[in-house]
Amino acid sequence: MTSAMDRRRFLGMGMAASAVAASPAKAMGWAFGQAAQVPDRVAQGREAALKTPITTTKLYDNVYLLQGAGGNMALQTGRDGLVLIDSSFSTSVPKVREAIAAVSHDSAEALINTHWHYDHTDGNEGMRAAGYSIYAHKNTRERMSTPQTIQFFHLVMPPSPAPALPSITFSDSMQAWHNGDSLDMVHFDPAHTDTDIYIHFQKANVLHVGDIWFNGFYPFIDESTGGAISGMINASAKALAVADGSTKIIPGHGPLGAKADLQKYHDMLSAVRDKVAALKAGGASEQEVVAKKPTADFDAAWGKGMLGGDVFAGIVYRTV
Ligand SMILES: [Zn+2]
Ligand SMILES: [Zn+2]
C-alpha cells in the first residue's frame, strides 16, 4: 500500500522530472527554488568566517598551517615570495592577510587551490587583488567558470568572477622550485571531486591533501562533481605513498595529522566501502543498506563531525 507521503514524494519527483524535460532554464529555476528552502551554506560560511579567528601553526622554518572557518590553508614564506594554499571564504581575506603579515613581510606570489569548492576558493578574488597568481588543476578552473550544482547541499553555484579563476592550470602534475624547496602539485583521479590535487613541500616534508582527507570524521564526497568512495580510497593510498613517518599532513578539514592517522582513515573508508558494496551487489536498496548500519563499528570514532553514519552510508551506496 502506498502511503500519502510516498505519493507526495512521487508527485514531487514527477514535477521535478517534467520541469527538467520542459527546459533547462526551468530546471535551473526549480533547483534555485529548492535552494531557497534550505540554509544557504555559502552565506552561512561567509557569516561564520567573519567571527572566526585565524590560528597559525609553524610546521617548518618557513611553512605554516593557517586554520579558520573554511578549509585548512598552508603558507610558505621566503624571498621568492609567499605561496598560499587555498583562500577560505571571501570574508576571511582580511584576517588571513593579517595572519600572514604577522609571520612574514615577503611579497605575494602564488595561491594554489586544492580543488574548486567555495570553502577553499571563495577568497580567491581578494587574494588576486593582493597580488597572488592562482594555480590549480584545469578542472578547478573549468568548474569555477561555469554554474555548478552541489546536490547534497541543494546548492547551485554561479560562475566565479574572472579574477577569482586560476590563471595557471595543469593536467597531471606540476613542479615549482620556490624559496629553497620543491613543490610538487599532483592531481588525484576523481575522489572528493574531479578537481583534487595534493601539494607536497619536499624539503619541509609538509603535504597538503585537501578534502580527500577529513581528519577524524566521515568525509563529504561531492558526487555531483565527480566524487566517489573508491576514488577517495585510491587518493588516500596515493597520499600515503608520498608520506613517510615524519610527514606533516594537512587535511582539508580537521587537525594536522601524520601518516598513521591517514592510514586509519583509509582503512575505515575501505571497510565501509566493502560492506556497502557487498550489500548493494546483493540487491539491497539504499534505504535497506542504511537500515543495516554498515558504519556501526566506526560511528563512535568517525560519526561526530559533519556527517553521521547513516548519511555517509548513503553517499557510499550512491557512489560505489
Ligand atoms: Zn572543504
Ligand atoms: Zn571540498
Side-chain angles (χ1 to χ4, degrees):
M1 186 182 149
T2 308
S3 71
M5 178 59 90
D6 286 341
R7 270 199 302 277
R8 274 202 299 276
R9 284 178 66 185
F10 176 76
L11 284 169
M13 285 167 69
M15 281 166 68
S18 50
V20 171
S23 80
K26 264 195 180 167
M28 187 71 87
W30 175 76
F32 273 114
Q34 290 293 301
Q37 292 161 26
V38 295
D40 178 344
R41 288 185 67 94
V42 179
Q44 279 181 338
R46 286 175 180 157
E47 188 70 27
L50 281 174
K51 299 169 201 144
T52 310
I54 304 294
T55 60
T56 303
T57 310
K58 191 169 186 168
L59 303 182
Y60 187 73
D61 292 345
N62 66 334
V63 180
Y64 301 83
L65 165 65
L66 305 180
Q67 293 175 293
N72 289 329
M73 293 165 278
L75 173 74
Q76 184 205 44
T77 63
R79 285 185 183 176
D80 295 339
L82 300 165
V83 176
L84 180 66
I85 300 179
D86 283 345
S87 63
S88 189
F89 288 100
S90 53
T91 46
S92 297
V93 168
K95 283 196 186 77
V96 173
R97 293 188 63 194
E98 271 171 36
I100 294 171
V103 295
S104 170
H105 294 293
D106 298 316
S107 57
E109 180 68 23
L111 164 64
I112 305 168
N113 290 141
T114 58
H115 64 296
W116 82 273
H117 280 159
Y118 59 88
D119 53 323
H120 302 254
T121 59
D122 193 47
N124 277 15
E125 191 173 6
M127 289 302 174
R128 166 69 61 85
Y132 291 84
S133 300
I134 308 173
Y135 292 68
H137 188 263
K138 66 182 176 65
N139 293 351
T140 293
R141 182 181 165 95
E142 213 166 290
R143 291 218 176 266
M144 289 178 69
S145 308
T146 50
Q148 299 294 326
T149 304
I150 306 179
Q151 271 157 19
F152 186 84
F153 295 125
H154 303 278
L155 261 181
V156 177
M157 300 291 299
S160 299
L165 301 178
S167 52
I168 301 112
T169 64
F170 61 93
S171 297
D172 298 322
S173 67
M174 186 180 222
Q175 193 171 17
W177 287 266
H178 204 79
N179 293 323
D181 206 340
S182 165
L183 279 72
D184 292 341
M185 294 165 253
V186 180
H187 183 227
F188 291 115
D189 287 336
H192 167 72
T193 66
D194 62 5
T195 69
D196 311 308
I197 64 167
Y198 72 70
I199 299 97
H200 187 210
F201 296 88
Q202 282 195 22
K203 190 170 155 197
N205 203 5
V206 171
L207 177 64
H208 195 319
V209 298
D211 279 3
I212 70 132
W213 189 20
F214 285 52
N215 187 11
F217 42 102
Y218 292 131
F220 169 58
I221 303 173
D222 185 358
E223 56 204 290
S224 37
T225 67
I229 181 62
S230 291
M232 292 288 272
I233 295 165
N234 296 339
S236 315
K238 189 168 179 169
L240 283 166
V242 176
D244 60 34
S246 50
T247 308
K248 290 175 172 150
I249 312 178
I250 302 175
H253 299 274
L256 181 75
K259 187 173 184 178
D261 304 312
L262 182 56
Q263 184 72 54
K264 275 186 212 150
Y265 169 82
H266 167 275
D267 296 349
M268 176 276 293
L269 294 182
S270 301
V272 173
R273 188 264 315 264
D274 292 351
K275 276 191 184 180
V276 172
L279 292 167
K280 188 173 179 177
S285 70
E286 181 179 335
Q287 288 76 6
E288 286 164 349
V289 169
V290 169
K292 283 190 191 323
K293 305 278 177 202
T295 63
D297 294 348
F298 301 101
D299 287 349
W302 301 90
K304 297 186 180 109
M306 188 180 166
L307 305 182
D310 289 356
V311 175
F312 182 60
I315 293 178
V316 173
Y317 181 93
R318 295 193 296 275
T319 66
V320 76

